[in-house]
Structure formats: structure tokens, C-alpha cells
Amino acid sequence: MTSPPSRTILAACLACLASAVCAAPVAYKVDPDHTFPSFEADHLGISVWRGKFNRSSGTVSYDKADGSGTLAVTVDLASVDFGHDKLNGWARGKDLFDVRKYPKATYKGTFAAPANGVPTQVAGELTMHGITRPVTLKINSLKCIPHPMLKREMCGADAIATFQRDQFGMDIGKAYKFSMDVTLRIQVEALAEK
């Protein structure tokens, strides 16, 4: 004997309400005051220069039930900061970021490779210097908690990726055997929009 259609639908709805599997994605806004995109790049094979960007923004959509979601981040390249004023000015110029022509870098991606319901990667594309290339972020950690003061959910993550800067048209130093590898590290926090 089968259940009447209305009972079947009601049972499915109740099961969905009781299950985390039916949770909807939550929209988050990247908190620029608690987000730290930084990078490491070679200098003549003898040292590693480290810098960061002081201004970034973005959005995240995340469904904790199945680890799915999307990420969109914009970085203001003029906010580059090596902790060295002269180097900062040079990096903003035509030899590297050329911020007058290319003021922003963007990254858009989709959460991937969940383990125990938590994504371990973001498969996406980085656009910088007018060029778009695939870049996969490895997520080292991702955790969500209720913000103790704002009473909204907050998520934080630590992620890393390596890419070749010459693939984005920034090959300064290549003739002198500078490595083109750049390691991007992102510590990010985001607040639920409601």
C-alpha cells in the first residue's frame, strides 16, 4: 500500500527540515579588516620577497551541508605592500602590476574536493594584468562559527596556491633567471550577510 501523495510530500518536507542535507547556501561578505592576501616571489634565486595587499573585497556562497559553494574576490593592486616604500612604488609601475592600466586582480572559483563535507580546494580563475588563467587554491582549513559579538555566522579559511607570473604577462627578471613562481597565501574571514 502506498501513501497518499500529500503524506509522501509532507514526509519528505519534514525529513528535509530535520536534515542538514537540505540546508541552503548562505551568502557571506569578505571582511576586509580580517582578510590577508599575501605572496612570496623569488629574487635572483638568493632570497624570497614577501608582500601583501592591504585592500580586498569579495563574496562567498557556502552550503555547509555538502561543502559546495562559490568564491569571488577582488584585490586592489595599488595596495601592494612589501614593507618598503621604494619597492611598493616600483611594483605599482609598468614593470610589474601597472596599476594605472590594470588596477584590480580578481579570482572567481567553485569549492571542490570535499572531505567529510568540507571543501579542500577552490577550482577557479585568476584575472590579472588583463589575462585570465586557471588557478586552484588548496584550502588548508575552513571553519564556521557564530560570531560572538555580531550574532551572525562567520567563516574563516587559510588557502594557498602557486602560479607562474610570466603567464600573466609579468616576466620582469626572467632573463636574469628569476623564478617565475609566485606563492599566494590567503587568510580570509567572511560574515554571513543576514
Side-chain angles (χ1 to χ4, degrees), residues 122 137-141 157-161 184-188:
V122 181
L137 289 170
K138 177 188 174 196
I139 301 174
N140 295 319
S141 66
D158 174 81
I160 188 169
L184 176 65
R185 298 179 186 273
I186 302 173
Q187 290 73 46
V188 59

Side-chain angles (χ1 to χ4, degrees), residues 155-176:
C155 295
D158 174 81
I160 188 169
T162 300
F163 63 89
Q164 306 288 307
R165 63 181 171 87
D166 59 335
Q167 292 184 353
F168 292 89
M170 295 181 289
D171 62 357
I172 187 76
K174 190 172 185 177
Y176 298 104

Side-chain angles (χ1 to χ4, degrees), residues 49-66:
W49 279 93
R50 293 177 173 88
K52 63 187 177 84
F53 295 101
N54 293 324
R55 292 187 297 274
S56 58
S57 61
T59 57
V60 178
S61 174
Y62 180 44
D63 187 339
K64 290 190 299 181
D66 62 9

